[in-house]
Amino acid sequence: MAATQEETFKKMVAHCKEYGFVFPSSEIYDGLGAVYDYGQNGVELKNNIKRYWWDSMTLLHENIVGIDASIFMHPTVWKASGHVDAFNDPLIDNRDSKKRYRADVLIEDQLGKIEEKIEKEVEKARKRFGESFDEAMFRQTNARVLEHQEKWNALHERYSQAMNAMDLNELKQIILDEGIVCPISGTRNWTDVRQFNLMFSTEMGSTADGAQKIYLRPETAQGIFVNYLNVQKTGRMKIPFGIAQIGKAFRNEIVARQFVFRMREFEQMEMQFFVKPGTEMEWFRYWKEMRLKWHKALGLGDEKYRYHDHEKLAHYANAATDIEFLMPFGFKEVEGVHSRTNFDLSQHAQYSGKKIEYFDPELNESYTPYVIETSIGVDRMFLSIMCSAYNEEQLEGGDSRVVLSLPAVLAPIKACVMPLVKKDGLPEKAREVMELLKYDFKTSYDEKDSIGKRYRRQDAIGTPFCITIDHDTLTDNCVTLRYRDTMKQDRIAISELHSIIKDAVDMKNLFKKIMG
Ligand code: ATP
């Protein structure tokens, strides 16, 4: 992370705490590693993200329904899904700093460094050549770029092979050959690479003998797979159809970093779309596009997103892509779109001994459906929105402000009603205005401090509208409506407020963008 970006990121994290968005878990006991609590504003923002996702699935698609499965599941689920045997990360320790790393992440960072070198060359050339710069040509012909690219290709090839074969010795050898050092100790004194299973386990049952080892789910998807038949039969669902779910997932991440980006307890929003075998690539493309549209409709900036297609596919997948968002620490995965074949349903059929199929009335035959999955982390989505919304602005007259330019539909509070003074009947009038708004929009009331201070408080939590009641309001029934981003102020009739706010915060407008 560049120094200034790192600074801003740190300030954003501090802001999240100061303004009731995110607190470290059990803070009075010094916190718990990579576990966080959402505060009064954070939970509203998070709920709005979840609502945006849930409605985009279940309202916009007649053939998608939701469920809410338990976190605890029968232990055989995780045997069947492959998580007991294969949900591992390769870890490595530095003997001098005693710090633990993911071997794959160390190598990916090394790849990232080479990519950065290429981008620097391109940027330098762009400045040198100005208008006439032909970027594609430069990338294909510049000797230094080609040299870096060759290095990248060779390392990437070697790394992919090692990961696909889970060859732990080779992963260590790559780290040694690349001269990768521990960022803390600066040394290459590495241990061997070992496998580490990411699932948390606990025991269910009262006696030691009878107790059963069970896992906290590491993904919500399996709750959908094991309920596939229940939903298909009781909902009389016809393929293609989808099942959506939002819920907690748990992973004992080796290295938990970057605030809520990598947590040990987090929340996922997953949708499994069941399709006829042979049509999965068509649906994979559909969902890949659809999900990017969902992100872009929020208006955070189209250039902040990119796809990252996977070359190394998980054991169950035949196509996979990530939707990445430009965080202050680079483009990072926020969502995965995976074509999971019929792997999960077939495994559950085999392990449970139940027939898990779909009878297709058009074909007059039964088959095991294929699955396209869209899987997004609520907390990572939260982080991407916070990173792009957090702004420190210099204002005219030497003043400055911190403003969260949140998409209005997601803002925790939509409007704050403020009587100019605490007397002369203004608070009573302000309460009347609140009555008009509060049943439809999360509205707050603030009568403390100067109007300027009150505006700053609302800017800091991203409230799109402030409504000021003054003495004239009592006679003309008009208020001052102040807009968060432009700080513009308009004189508006009270009777118009509801429709102005509704227009700005209505998710329908985003849904139309997605579907249009
Ligand atoms: P990563 O490679 O970053 O570990 P992943 O590829 O293992 O992520 P998936 O298993 O595809 O992630 O999970 C789907 C989504 O769940 C991710 O895109 C991410 O948004 C979210 N997610 C996964 N792990 C975490 C975590 N530890 N903390 C927060 N969100 C997570």
Side-chain angles (χ1 to χ4, degrees):
M1 225 187 301
T4 50
Q5 277 183 329
E6 193 168 339
E7 271 297 294
T8 315
F9 187 70
K10 272 194 193 145
K11 283 192 201 161
M12 189 275 292
V13 173
H15 189 89
C16 277
K17 190 177 151 195
E18 190 180 344
Y19 286 92
F21 283 89
V22 181
F23 307 124
S25 158
S26 328
E27 198 188 2
I28 54 168
Y29 295 101
D30 294 335
L32 183 65
V35 186
Y36 291 91
D37 298 340
Y38 286 83
Q40 67 279 14
N41 289 316
V43 70
E44 294 290 345
L45 173 54
K46 203 172 167 216
N47 282 343
N48 291 339
I49 295 171
K50 290 196 263 185
R51 169 62 51 201
Y52 177 44
W53 183 88
W54 186 262
D55 284 355
S56 78
M57 288 294 171
T58 61
L59 296 186
L60 302 190
H61 303 277
E62 287 170 35
N63 55 352
I64 296 182
V65 293
I67 62 162
D68 182 22
S70 300
I71 287 169
F72 292 151
M73 301 182 76
H74 193 285
T76 311
V77 166
W78 305 110
K79 196 75 197 141
S81 68
H83 284 82
V84 171
D85 297 320
F87 196 52
N88 298 318
D89 275 345
L91 67 84
I92 189 165
D93 294 276
N94 183 271
R95 290 199 186 91
D96 298 321
S97 66
K98 309 266 183 287
K99 287 280 170 203
R100 178 161 289 176
Y101 299 90
R102 264 171 67 177
D104 55 331
V105 172
L106 287 178
I107 300 172
E108 276 174 20
D109 286 350
Q110 183 77 355
L111 285 164
K113 280 186 192 151
I114 305 177
E115 285 165 29
E116 268 174 32
K117 284 186 186 155
I118 296 177
E119 293 317 309
K120 267 199 190 133
E121 293 293 341
V122 173
E123 276 322 300
K124 260 199 315 204
R126 190 193 311 283
K127 279 199 190 119
R128 203 159 9 125
F129 294 113
E131 286 286 292
S132 62
F133 183 53
D134 181 344
E135 183 178 329
M137 178 64 91
F138 181 79
R139 284 180 189 273
Q140 282 163 22
T141 54
N142 178 269
R144 265 200 297 268
V145 170
L146 290 178
E147 197 183 311
H148 290 315
Q149 192 60 50
E150 219 166 274
K151 253 196 214 153
W152 190 94
N153 292 347
L155 175 57
H156 188 256
E157 178 59 28
R158 200 175 157 198
Y159 164 62
S160 303
Q161 278 186 14
M163 283 299 282
N164 279 326
M166 256 307 153
D167 183 341
L168 304 182
N169 291 332
E170 173 69 353
L171 285 174
K172 175 168 182 189
Q173 201 53 50
I174 296 175
I175 290 172
L176 294 178
D177 291 350
E178 287 293 317
I180 296 174
V181 298
C182 164
I184 309 284
S185 67
T187 71
R188 297 170 195 182
N189 194 4
W190 296 111
T191 61
D192 285 343
V193 178
R194 281 168 297 146
Q195 291 280 34
F196 179 77
N197 193 287
L198 297 179
M199 281 198 294
F200 283 100
S201 64
T202 184
E203 287 189 350
M204 185 179 264
S206 54
T207 63
D209 287 350
Q212 203 176 18
K213 179 175 177 179
I214 56 165
Y215 298 98
L216 272 69
R217 64 181 178 196
E219 61 173 28
T220 54
Q222 298 304 324
I224 291 179
F225 290 125
V226 300
N227 277 297
Y228 157 79
L229 274 185
N230 285 336
V231 174
Q232 192 272 321
K233 291 215 154 71
T234 58
R236 295 162 60 239
M237 307 302 290
K238 292 213 161 39
I239 276 187
F241 75 91
I243 305 179
Q245 178 173 215
I246 299 178
K248 288 277 178 120
F250 304 83
R251 295 183 189 177
N252 197 1
E253 299 281 0
I254 301 170
V255 187
R257 257 186 304 179
Q258 275 130 3
F259 196 35
V260 296
F261 182 80
R262 193 172 295 289
M263 301 155 90
R264 297 203 165 98
E265 172 179 344
F266 58 101
E267 207 162 357
Q268 289 187 314
M269 307 189 279
E270 295 199 299
M271 194 277 298
Q272 321 293 136
F273 200 69
F274 299 91
V275 305
K276 192 165 98 185
T279 64
E280 70 273 14
M281 287 326 253
E282 189 186 309
W283 283 111
F284 175 70
R285 281 190 293 274
Y286 172 87
W287 281 109
K288 197 173 147 177
E289 263 176 45
M290 189 53 117
R291 293 304 305 146
L292 189 60
K293 281 189 194 164
W294 181 88
H295 285 277
K296 286 186 173 173
L298 284 171
L300 304 182
D302 289 3
E303 72 290 349
K304 290 188 179 148
Y305 300 91
R306 73 176 189 195
Y307 289 124
H308 169 86
D309 293 326
H310 284 214
E311 287 104 43
K312 175 192 180 279
L313 297 172
H315 55 280
Y316 50 74
N318 70 354
T321 199
D322 294 338
I323 295 177
E324 296 185 335
F325 185 82
L326 184 57
M327 306 268 189
F329 41 94
F331 271 102
K332 294 287 166 196
E333 169 182 347
V334 172
E335 171 156 12
V337 182
H338 310 127
S339 173
R340 284 178 83 128
T341 68
N342 60 2
F343 175 82
D344 301 86
L345 291 183
S346 304
Q347 287 290 103
H348 288 307
Q350 192 191 325
Y351 277 78
S352 67
K354 305 276 183 329
K355 193 168 155 211
I356 307 181
E357 289 185 342
Y358 174 73
F359 176 74
D360 193 324
E362 279 165 32
L363 297 176
N364 204 23
E365 64 177 49
S366 294
Y367 54 74
T368 310
Y370 270 46
V371 172
I372 306 301
E373 154 184 279
T374 71
S375 174
I376 169 170
V378 182
D379 314 272
R380 278 197 198 172
M381 187 66 199
F382 178 98
L383 183 62
S384 65
I385 290 166
M386 270 295 181
C387 286
S388 82
Y390 181 85
N391 277 313
E392 291 169 10
E393 285 183 0
Q394 290 306 321
L395 305 175
E396 282 167 27
D399 210 0
S400 70
R401 68 165 182 164
V402 172
V403 56
L404 281 189
S405 302
L406 296 169
V409 282
L410 301 182
I413 293 170
K414 307 302 186 198
C416 181
V417 181
M418 310 171 171
L420 190 61
V421 289
K422 257 193 279 184
K423 54 182 186 185
D424 305 337
L426 300 192
E428 290 75 11
K429 190 71 184 171
R431 291 284 174 197
E432 271 175 38
V433 173
M434 277 208 67
E435 271 302 297
L436 291 175
L437 303 175
K438 75 176 191 192
Y439 300 99
D440 293 315
F441 317 111
K442 177 91 185 140
T443 311
S444 67
Y445 176 86
D446 191 2
E447 58 178 20
K448 205 166 168 290
D449 300 321
S450 71
I451 277 289
K453 272 197 185 155
R454 286 183 255 172
Y455 284 161
R456 291 290 176 275
R457 274 205 290 271
Q458 295 306 317
D459 289 344
I461 61 168
T463 307
F465 299 105
C466 288
I467 298 161
T468 306
I469 305 331
D470 56 27
H471 291 91
D472 290 342
T473 308
L474 301 178
T475 48
D476 67 3
N477 271 318
C478 288
V479 293
T480 302
L481 184 65
R482 185 241 190 208
Y483 302 88
R484 176 194 68 200
D485 296 335
T486 58
M487 296 188 285
K488 210 173 105 209
Q489 302 187 9
D490 282 343
R491 195 78 189 157
I492 298 281
I494 290 175
S495 56
E496 281 179 54
L497 282 175
H498 193 281
S499 75
I500 291 175
I501 297 172
K502 181 161 170 48
D503 245 17
V505 306
D506 198 349
M507 277 190 193
K508 194 158 68 182
N509 298 327
L510 267 57
F511 293 149
K512 284 188 172 159
K513 257 199 235 172
I514 298 173
M515 299 312 272

